[in-house]
Amino acid sequence: MAVGPVDVYIIGFPGNKFSGRIAPAIMELVENGTIRVLDLLFVMKDADGTVTTLAAEDIAEEGAAYLAIDVAEPGALGDEDAEEVSEDLPADSSALLIAFENLWAVKVVDALQAADAVLIDSIRIPAEVVAAALDPA
């Protein structure tokens, strides 16, 4: 069985400001078969620098929208990931780590395997870089 490549996004929330727009966007991608969420992990640092980590199953009311996301591999993101992120996380901010499989790429993976081909490299160009390059200004 072919699997798609996995991405891990680290999404920052300076000042612990949450708009509620991210979970519905993730849910839409899950529902239309674009991605499969493997795991979610929240890392929060308060004003004093104390770090709190919440796994997907530990999310309370303030993150209720994330409770609706089906997590396929709970625990895939763990303490080491949280510790690494917390080192660079400013005080009074949070980060969401989300690991997801790119289901849209499974057909390409199948085709590569069937052709005895190998993917030599994969490069992701951040959306901000693409937007800046396309900006005519």
Side-chain angles (χ1 to χ4, degrees):
M1 178 178 115
V3 295
V6 172
D7 285 326
V8 176
Y9 277 19
I10 302 169
I11 303 166
F13 299 95
N16 293 314
K17 295 178 186 169
F18 305 98
S19 70
R21 293 184 174 182
I22 296 172
I26 292 169
M27 287 296 301
E28 182 178 333
L29 293 172
V30 169
E31 289 168 1
N32 69 25
T34 303
I35 65 171
R36 177 172 68 116
V37 175
L38 301 175
D39 202 7
L40 295 169
L41 187 67
F42 285 92
V43 180
M44 293 144 296
K45 188 181 278 187
D46 67 17
D48 297 326
T50 302
V51 175
T52 304
T53 302
L54 291 175
E57 62 272 11
D58 298 327
I59 299 169
E61 259 183 56
E62 62 273 5
Y66 292 97
L67 289 172
I69 297 173
D70 182 33
V71 175
E73 299 290 332
L77 296 169
D79 293 339
E80 288 180 18
D81 302 301
E83 186 176 323
E84 186 175 332
V85 168
S86 70
E87 290 173 3
D88 296 324
L89 196 61
D92 195 30
S93 62
S94 302
L96 166 64
L97 287 73
I98 180 170
F100 58 89
E101 178 185 3
N102 292 287
L103 297 176
W104 59 266
V106 171
K107 287 184 181 181
V108 174
V109 171
D110 274 339
L112 291 172
Q113 290 172 348
D116 290 327
V118 294
L119 180 64
I120 294 172
D121 197 0
S122 175
I123 300 168
R124 167 129 326 150
I125 301 170
E128 298 81 16
V129 174
V130 175
L134 296 176
D135 187 11

